[in-house]
DNA sequence: TCTTGCGCCCATGTATACATTGCCTCGATC
DNA sequence: GATCGAGGCAATGTATACATGGGCGCAAGA
């Protein structure tokens, strides 16, 4: 995101609007009018426009035909597709890293991240330091995105990842209560390790396949939520803006 | 792009700035200052900002740390990566269309486009209606992007495609003189046909592989230009903004 | 000489008045 | 009754004045 967090009026408007969209306060399809928003946030129209323009870049708003902005509507099909897309792009990042070779220091960094993730698992089965895992899981995916050395790939991976429900951490909620989710962490960590191994061995196809399958964990968790226990929807912040 | 072509000052500024960037008049890394630009284009700063914001969405400008915009710099490595990325995304579009099944009317449309492309080839070898081919080639790729029915996929395919050197028509220059390029058209059209066949037969892996290989034609043409005949660089509009 | 701090200047940030456009409504006419 | 057009309103588009803040240079002191 931006480091300028909250310094200017435009930044505060950006953050506030993003919050409202992500929380579902502004449902998909809602047209955003400059004047009322400016009055609500007690600033002028100019920073509002700036903020909306940035949200359009993020993919949270669409530009309307005759000017103005509309909150982008996401359905569950879109969540599935975005997760699939993340798998494809991370797969490409992994494959290219394998085929072209990753820089030694980047490989060292990602290996160290995998070690740390290992440490998040306690001795007893099912014992996981969730918060730490979540943090270093994000770090793993960030490192993976740039591992091939291609700026274009890194940018596009990070772009998809920015959609909250497509983020690698989307289904790592604060409440680690969900047994199904917790079990998936072992599989996920196996895949992290295997990806790094494949990349180091220059096995591009394997690295790509692993990354795609890795993203499928998110899809399975999504399907669990939708089919088995819809009450969980509310505890997953990334799903708040998704419309039935 | 936008249908609003040139109606407002912001749109005219957008078009003018885009032209300057694509033509290389504004090389990568150039910082764009609002005041001088406003004076040059004889409008105020407001529509300039609007235009620059849209160019950032297009990926032609980057936002600078402390405000302002910088022309994004592309090297030949980036062109290669962007072409690769297009292949990956079109491959995903094709695979999903195969796996999920495409709508009959969309299939009919893309089949009709393939027929038309066939008609572009004359009786004598090497005889091609270039302009018509180029037009319907673009149509094929546009149709392919949406064939799976996924908006997310279609948007992202079209997004990458918007970079001029990554467009499916990037190496279909007006001058059809380049024998190597002309020969590649036969291969390309074979692949178009095969992709449609694979999608209809629900052969996802084959459809994906074909789309990726299809994009490689662009990469080969790029390499031909770079290695065999660098003088051709100037005749390919999409490469003007690429820096050595 | 090096460093530090003050101040100016330039570029973006913001507010606001005014322009423009497109849509909606209401009415009149066919 | 339907359609076309004029008018007004509401929204974005634009210009511009002023605010803010960061960078650079110069100068003064250590």
């Amino acid at each position: 995101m931006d480091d300028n967090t909250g310094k200017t009026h435009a930044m505060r408007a950006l953050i506030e609007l993003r919050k409202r969209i992500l929380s579902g306060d502004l449902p998909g399809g809602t047209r955003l009018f400059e004047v009322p928003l400016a009055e609500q946030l007690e600033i002028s129209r100019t920073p509002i426009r700036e903020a909306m323009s940035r949200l359009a870049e993020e993919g949270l708003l669409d530009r309307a035909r005759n000017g103005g902005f509309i909150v982008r509507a996401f359905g569950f099909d879109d969540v599935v597709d975005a997760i699939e897309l993340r798998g494809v792009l991370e797969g490409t990042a992994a494959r290219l890293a394998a085929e072209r070779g990753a820089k030694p220091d980047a490989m060292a960094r990602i290996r160290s991240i995998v070690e740390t993730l290992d440490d998040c698992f306690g001795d007893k089965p099912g014992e996981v330091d969730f918060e730490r895992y979540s943090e270093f899981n994000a770090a793993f995916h960030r490192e993976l995105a740039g591992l091939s050395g291609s700026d274009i790939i890194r940018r596009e991976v990070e772009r998809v990842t920015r959609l909250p429900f497509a983020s690698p951490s989307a289904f790592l909620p604060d409440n680690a209560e969900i047994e199904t989710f917790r079990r998936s962490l072992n599989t996920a960590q196996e895949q992290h390790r295997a990806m790094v191994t494949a990349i180091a061995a220059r096995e591009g196809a394997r690295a790509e396949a692993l990354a795609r399958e890795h993203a499928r964990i998110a899809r399975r968790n999504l399907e669990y939520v939708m089919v088995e226990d819809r009450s969980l929807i509310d505890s997953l912040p990334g799903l708040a803006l998704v419309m039935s």
Side-chain angles (χ1 to χ4, degrees), chain A residues 82 99 101 133:
Chain A
E99 290 173 354
Y133 184 91

Side-chain angles (χ1 to χ4, degrees), chain A residues 75-96:
Chain A
F76 280 101
D77 287 350
D78 294 315
V79 179
V80 169
D81 292 345
I83 291 170
E84 178 80 21
L85 185 59
R86 169 165 68 85
V88 167
L89 291 177
E90 289 186 332
T92 301
R95 173 171 63 84
L96 292 181

Side-chain angles (χ1 to χ4, degrees), chain A residues 73-180:
Chain A
F74 295 102
F76 280 101
D77 287 350
D78 294 315
V79 179
V80 169
D81 292 345
I83 291 170
E84 178 80 21
L85 185 59
R86 169 165 68 85
V88 167
L89 291 177
E90 289 186 332
T92 301
R95 173 171 63 84
L96 292 181
E99 290 173 354
R100 301 177 177 179
K103 282 195 188 157
D105 60 330
M107 281 304 283
R109 276 200 304 277
I110 203 167
R111 279 204 170 95
S112 149
I113 292 169
V114 171
E115 300 291 334
T116 310
L117 283 169
D118 266 340
D119 291 344
C120 297
F121 293 89
D123 294 330
K124 280 174 278 185
E127 198 183 50
V128 189
D129 183 343
F130 232 77
E131 199 172 340
R132 207 165 130 85
Y133 184 91
S134 187
E135 176 190 343
F136 280 87
N137 179 61
F140 178 90
H141 286 269
R142 211 178 310 120
E143 198 65 52
L144 177 62
L147 203 56
S148 72
S150 161
D151 263 352
I152 298 246
I153 300 295
R154 184 186 48 72
R155 283 173 74 123
E156 295 307 313
V157 173
E158 286 176 352
R159 182 182 158 76
V160 191
T161 288
R162 205 160 294 146
L163 291 175
F165 44 75
S167 134
S169 315
F171 292 90
L172 298 175
D174 289 335
N175 56 350
E177 304 311 321
I178 309 157
E179 179 57 22
T180 311

Side-chain angles (χ1 to χ4, degrees), chain A residues 11-88:
Chain A
M11 283 302 158
R12 281 193 291 276
L14 172 66
I15 289 165
E16 175 63 23
L17 286 178
R18 189 195 285 130
K19 199 195 80 188
R20 290 190 191 182
I21 294 168
L22 295 185
S23 70
D25 284 350
L26 292 171
T30 306
R31 171 106 184 239
L32 298 185
F33 297 107
E34 296 174 1
V35 177
L37 280 176
E39 284 168 1
Q40 277 177 46
L41 304 183
E42 298 181 287
I43 56 181
S44 78
R45 284 169 52 209
T46 313
I48 295 283
R49 286 164 75 105
E50 169 72 11
M52 291 199 295
S53 165
R54 284 173 183 257
L55 286 168
E57 284 179 54
E58 279 184 37
L60 292 179
L61 295 183
D62 281 333
R63 288 181 190 272
R65 308 146 288 295
N66 286 320
F69 295 85
I70 295 175
V71 180
R72 189 164 162 199
F74 295 102
F76 280 101
D77 287 350
D78 294 315
V79 179
V80 169
D81 292 345
I83 291 170
E84 178 80 21
L85 185 59
R86 169 165 68 85
V88 167

Side-chain angles (χ1 to χ4, degrees), chain A residues 170-173 175 178 181 221-222 225 232-240:
Chain A
F171 292 90
L172 298 175
N175 56 350
I178 309 157
F181 287 11
N221 286 342
L222 171 69
V225 169
L232 292 175
I233 294 180
D234 297 331
S235 64
L236 294 168
L239 290 182

